[in-house]
Amino acid sequence: SRDIVKGKVFANVQYRYVDYAYAASASELKQNVLSTNITWRVVGRTAISVFYEGLFSDWNDYNRFHINLTYRL
């Protein structure tokens, strides 16, 4: 995680390569996973976060987005 604007905006980027080998069969599944998150501390204890994850393989591609509004007590 890195500060883009010190104390206000933070970002994170992650990449993973996954190679599944199933014991019960000769099947394999190789996936590339890319995720990123950006968080903006709006006012005081309130923050808005946007998260993206993309999963890419030979069979299918999946994408998901999450938006969170957080208030810390």
Side-chain angles (χ1 to χ4, degrees):
S1 179
R2 296 222 180 222
D3 284 0
I4 295 174
V5 176
K6 188 171 175 111
K8 284 288 191 184
V9 181
F10 313 93
N12 184 29
V13 176
Q14 184 179 27
Y15 169 79
R16 295 184 313 269
Y17 175 75
V18 182
D19 187 359
Y20 293 106
Y22 299 101
S25 71
S27 297
E28 288 185 346
L29 178 59
K30 297 177 180 175
Q31 298 175 328
N32 294 287
V33 182
L34 175 67
S35 61
T36 184
N37 180 48
I38 189 162
T39 301
W40 172 37
R41 185 168 297 146
V42 182
V43 176
R45 300 180 196 162
T46 305
I48 297 173
S49 299
V50 178
F51 173 81
Y52 165 78
E53 183 177 66
L55 189 143
F56 309 98
S57 69
D58 292 337
W59 297 97
N60 288 314
D61 295 340
Y62 297 98
N63 298 285
R64 62 179 161 184
F65 289 92
H66 298 275
I67 300 173
N68 294 315
L69 177 62
T70 306
Y71 177 78
R72 300 198 183 263
L73 299 175

